[in-house]
Amino acid sequence: MNWYPWLNHAYRQLVESHQQGRGHHAILLHAHEGTGAGALLYGLSRWLMCQDKQGMKSCGKCHGCHLMLAETHSDWHVLAPEKGKNSIGVDTVRQLSEKLYEYSQQGGAKIVWLPSAELLTDAASNALLKTLEEPPQNTYFLLQCQHPANLLATLRSRCFYYFLPAPENTMGLYWLQNQLPAIASLDAQTALKLSQGAPLAAERLLQADKWQQRNSLCQAIAQVLDKYDTLSLLPLLNCDDVQQSLHWLISLLSDAVKWRQQAQNYCVNQDQQVLIHRLAATQNMEKLLSTVDDWIRCRHQLLSVVGINRELLLTEQLLNWEKQLCSTQ
């Protein structure tokens, strides 16, 4: 697994706590997607599993290190949904708990890595909670999440909460431009802002197909402002990654609000300033804010209401937006 320079500080803090005897048996790592949280927990796992630690580093030579590098360590368990399922059920947690109470097969630490704690069902969370309350000796739980508020409060209370921030903008931008040297600086800055400063997410966004998808949406929005035909956006929005498309749309509208407030320097979409200016000119501040709220509400419904008719909801919202645009002509 790759390592990223902005993880060094967090890694030192977590390892030092164990070296000083303050290491918690359960860590809840809160991090946005694309910050390298998985790499951080894997690095900590390697250090905990190492049989010949070299200060804050794993030796890379012992049997435990070789097994971790090959991802075949019998005492390193990844807790994830079973094939074909999108949640982690109680039976999966119970089966793992039984293994943890057995002797360590390699004679050292046992580690459970949970890449997405939000996927636990309530029953699975309660089953895991029992193990966290009375953990087997020399056993560590490394939980990863993006939205800790979605976890049971009792589960959160049994863990040591650690927030991994995105790196400073200069570091993230420097890394991103080293990875993608052909990318224009303005595009790199925009992708980083659209990804809440997470470099790995920005790198994925800048891949040719994804970046072109965003550019196509921006061009389609510009045509909407010419023809006031918002329904032409429906094919671009009504797709499986609708959440990301709506994020792009909402960020452009939010930038238009900033433009009206003469805060252009704080715009996210620095590569689309002409479009942002046009959006800002189409509606007054009150209607712009109302449009932003409407789209945020639409996105929330799509994410939270089970079985909702996506096409119907998007069509209704697009028609409402068209009515607001036409009322300002």
Side-chain angles (χ1 to χ4, degrees):
M1 188 175 289
N2 292 330
W3 187 256
Y4 310 102
W6 59 86
L7 299 178
N8 290 337
H9 177 68
Y11 177 80
R12 283 195 299 268
Q13 282 189 321
L14 293 173
V15 169
E16 280 179 359
S17 66
H18 284 281
Q19 288 177 324
Q20 297 168 5
R22 298 182 290 104
H24 202 283
H25 72 279
I27 294 175
L28 177 62
L29 182 66
H30 174 199
H32 297 304
E33 182 183 0
T35 53
L40 174 62
L41 292 183
Y42 175 74
L44 178 60
S45 297
R46 280 194 56 187
W47 186 84
L48 290 169
M49 289 295 200
C50 181
Q51 298 161 353
D52 187 22
K53 298 177 178 62
Q54 308 294 307
M56 301 192 72
K57 295 182 179 181
S58 50
C59 69
K61 299 177 182 179
C62 68
H63 185 54
C65 283
H66 286 160
L67 291 175
M68 286 297 294
L69 287 168
E71 296 187 7
T72 56
H73 202 300
S74 53
D75 293 319
W76 187 58
H77 307 278
V78 180
L79 188 54
E82 296 177 1
K83 188 175 182 179
K85 296 185 178 180
N86 55 12
S87 63
I88 302 172
V90 63
D91 290 339
T92 302
V93 173
R94 286 173 177 165
Q95 290 169 9
L96 176 59
S97 295
E98 290 176 4
K99 290 182 182 178
L100 295 176
Y101 283 100
E102 298 172 358
Y103 287 107
S104 167
Q105 294 190 35
Q106 300 299 326
K110 291 172 284 185
I111 295 176
V112 175
W113 176 38
L114 177 51
S116 184
E118 291 96 336
L119 297 182
L120 289 166
T121 64
D122 286 351
S125 294
N126 285 318
L128 182 61
L129 180 63
K130 293 178 181 178
T131 309
L132 289 176
E133 289 174 336
E134 298 180 8
Q137 187 176 7
N138 205 18
T139 301
Y140 301 93
F141 299 83
L142 307 178
L143 284 67
Q144 204 173 313
C145 73
Q146 294 183 39
H147 307 287
N150 293 341
L151 306 181
L152 292 182
T154 47
L155 184 65
R156 297 199 307 268
S157 68
R158 296 300 186 276
C159 299
F160 172 71
Y161 172 84
Y162 190 96
F163 176 65
L164 177 66
E168 292 184 359
N169 185 68
T170 51
M171 177 181 285
L173 190 59
Y174 177 78
W175 180 87
L176 196 57
Q177 290 177 323
N178 279 340
Q179 298 300 118
L180 304 169
I183 294 296
S185 176
L186 200 59
D187 288 352
Q189 291 178 39
T190 299
L192 205 56
K193 288 177 179 290
L194 281 168
S195 305
Q196 290 77 51
L200 303 182
E203 183 187 24
R204 290 194 293 270
L205 175 55
L206 284 167
Q207 298 306 309
D209 290 349
K210 184 64 69 175
W211 197 243
Q212 181 55 47
Q213 182 184 344
R214 173 182 170 270
N215 287 338
S216 297
L217 179 63
C218 292
Q219 292 166 9
I221 293 172
Q223 292 175 5
V224 162
L225 299 181
D226 291 330
K227 303 177 181 178
Y228 289 90
D229 177 21
T230 56
L231 283 181
S232 62
L233 294 177
L234 185 59
L236 296 176
L237 297 178
N238 186 28
C239 51
D240 289 340
D241 58 353
V242 61
Q243 181 180 354
Q244 182 157 58
S245 297
L246 289 183
H247 171 59
W248 295 337
L249 174 58
I250 292 168
S251 73
L252 287 164
L253 291 166
S254 299
D255 282 349
V257 172
K258 297 171 190 174
W259 192 285
R260 272 198 164 270
Q261 294 289 85
Q262 298 183 345
Q264 293 93 329
N265 291 339
Y266 295 95
C267 288
V268 169
N269 301 274
Q270 291 291 332
D271 64 332
Q272 296 290 335
Q273 295 199 29
V274 173
L275 177 57
I276 294 168
H277 175 64
R278 292 192 62 195
L279 283 168
T282 58
Q283 296 174 284
N284 60 34
M285 178 64 77
E286 182 181 355
K287 288 190 175 180
L288 265 177
L289 288 171
S290 175
T291 299
V292 172
D293 287 342
D294 288 345
W295 279 112
I296 290 175
R297 192 177 303 111
C298 175
R299 181 178 62 182
H300 178 71
Q301 287 179 289
L302 286 171
L303 293 175
S304 61
V305 180
V306 178
I308 195 168
N309 188 318
R310 183 176 67 197
E311 184 175 2
L312 185 61
L313 180 63
L314 289 171
T315 300
E316 180 183 17
Q317 177 53 33
L318 286 167
L319 289 174
N320 286 340
W321 188 24
E322 184 174 307
K323 182 187 293 186
Q324 289 183 334
L325 289 172
C326 291
S327 69
T328 60
Q329 281 185 293

